[in-house]
Amino acid sequence: MPSDFERKTTHFGYREVPKNEKAALVAEVFRSVAPKYDLMNDLMSLGMHRLWKRFAIEQAALRPGDQVLDVASGTGDLAKALARVVGSKGRVVMTDINEAMLQVGRERLEDAGVMGNIDFIQADAENLPFVDHYFDCVTIAFGLRNVTDKVTAMKSMHRVLKPGGKLLILEFSHPQTPLLNKLYDLYSFNIIPRLGALVTNDRDSYQYLVESIRMHPNQDALKAMMHEAGFEDVEYYNLCDGIVAVHKGYKY
């Protein structure tokens, strides 16, 4: 059986597509949903995504003056909170591969008055355009599952971290209780695409998002991938019985 590196295709939701086409397909999804992305997050998670992000930020244990890279920043929820923690002497670099999402994020942060210590850079998670050993912390929230080669992306994140720096991954994962897993499937496949159709007039993008969650590695598989990328002392925390998980690992 060929390794992930040797395979010429990857998954886009439940579809198998050429590796070199996935980024463009994902970009089109987020270009379509960007204007109402935050509203849909609130509706889909019943507002819980805000608590999940708060927990991730607590696990980052940032200090004033820290340099933070937020990968796949989307509309900037996490970056905004991170900027407040590191303060005026710190810096948050907000990146996303998708120009439309990054623009929405910039506008939201401008409206919130949180701009003094944030930079905006369009960047690919698999090839981050930053010098080695620079950031105290790298975060990625609900973005890793859309990356074509996750280990390559995490190696890129490892490279730009200082020794002693940490990576925080907040991502949908796999519920641990069989009954909840069944209920979660019923909700995800029957409700979320319909919400997408009603709110964004785009059912297909939210069908992809649901499928992408199911195709994402489970908690232990992602932990092993972080080790493969060079991270040590890797641990994870299940939230809502594993519907979401926070993974944390260090560069030494």
Side-chain angles (χ1 to χ4, degrees):
M1 180 179 295
S3 68
D4 287 344
F5 179 79
E6 294 168 330
R7 292 178 65 212
K8 302 298 183 184
T9 62
T10 188
H11 59 82
F12 175 73
Y14 287 165
R15 291 166 50 196
E16 283 285 321
V17 299
K19 276 188 172 182
N20 61 1
E21 293 181 10
K22 180 172 178 177
L25 292 168
V26 171
E28 184 54 39
V29 166
F30 286 96
R31 191 175 297 114
S32 173
V33 304
K36 295 188 177 178
Y37 182 76
D38 292 316
L39 173 60
M40 278 297 296
N41 280 349
D42 280 328
L43 293 173
M44 288 188 300
S45 72
L46 304 178
M48 289 294 293
H49 73 99
R50 301 177 187 278
L51 299 178
W52 299 332
K53 290 169 183 171
R54 186 182 304 170
F55 179 84
I57 291 167
E58 290 172 356
Q59 293 304 311
L62 297 172
R63 296 171 295 184
D66 277 351
Q67 305 293 312
V68 183
L69 173 64
D70 187 35
V71 180
S73 294
T75 55
D77 271 359
L78 204 66
K80 180 171 68 174
L82 294 167
R84 287 172 172 158
V85 175
V86 302
S88 59
K89 294 183 179 179
R91 202 80 192 161
V92 174
V93 179
M94 179 175 162
T95 70
D96 202 290
I97 195 172
N98 188 283
E99 184 179 3
M101 292 291 286
L102 199 61
Q103 181 60 33
V104 171
R106 179 191 287 271
E107 292 169 358
R108 287 188 70 237
L109 269 60
E110 284 178 348
D111 291 343
V114 187
M115 292 290 290
N117 60 346
I118 298 181
D119 294 317
F120 301 84
I121 298 177
Q122 188 173 357
D124 183 350
E126 295 181 35
N127 188 24
L128 294 168
F130 307 108
V131 298
D132 297 356
H133 318 307
Y134 182 77
F135 294 100
D136 298 287
C137 182
V138 175
T139 60
I140 179 168
F142 304 116
L144 188 63
R145 71 181 187 279
N146 298 307
V147 173
T148 302
D149 191 323
K150 296 172 181 58
V151 172
T152 295
M154 288 189 285
K155 286 180 178 179
S156 187
M157 297 173 202
H158 186 275
R159 176 184 61 78
V160 302
L161 275 169
K162 295 176 182 177
K166 65 177 77 70
L167 169 64
L168 264 293
I169 301 170
L170 171 63
E171 187 56 88
F172 289 108
S173 199
H174 295 255
Q176 302 300 288
T177 305
L179 177 59
L180 179 60
N181 199 30
K182 290 180 180 178
L183 293 173
Y184 184 48
D185 272 349
L186 286 171
Y187 170 75
S188 297
F189 285 101
N190 290 284
I191 302 300
I192 290 178
R194 292 180 184 177
L195 273 176
L198 288 170
V199 176
T200 70
N201 198 32
D202 186 350
R203 181 188 181 96
D204 289 346
S205 289
Y206 282 93
Q207 182 69 33
Y208 157 73
L209 290 172
V210 170
E211 292 175 3
S212 72
I213 292 169
R214 294 306 179 280
M215 297 301 292
H216 187 65
N218 67 24
Q219 289 89 327
D220 289 322
L222 182 55
K223 179 178 179 179
M225 293 168 77
M226 291 178 70
H227 281 301
E228 184 181 349
F231 290 95
E232 300 181 45
D233 291 343
V234 178
E235 56 186 338
Y236 63 82
Y237 308 89
N238 284 323
L239 306 179
C240 297
D241 194 51
I243 288 175
V244 166
V246 173
H247 282 69
K248 177 167 63 174
Y250 293 83
K251 173 180 177 177
Y252 294 133

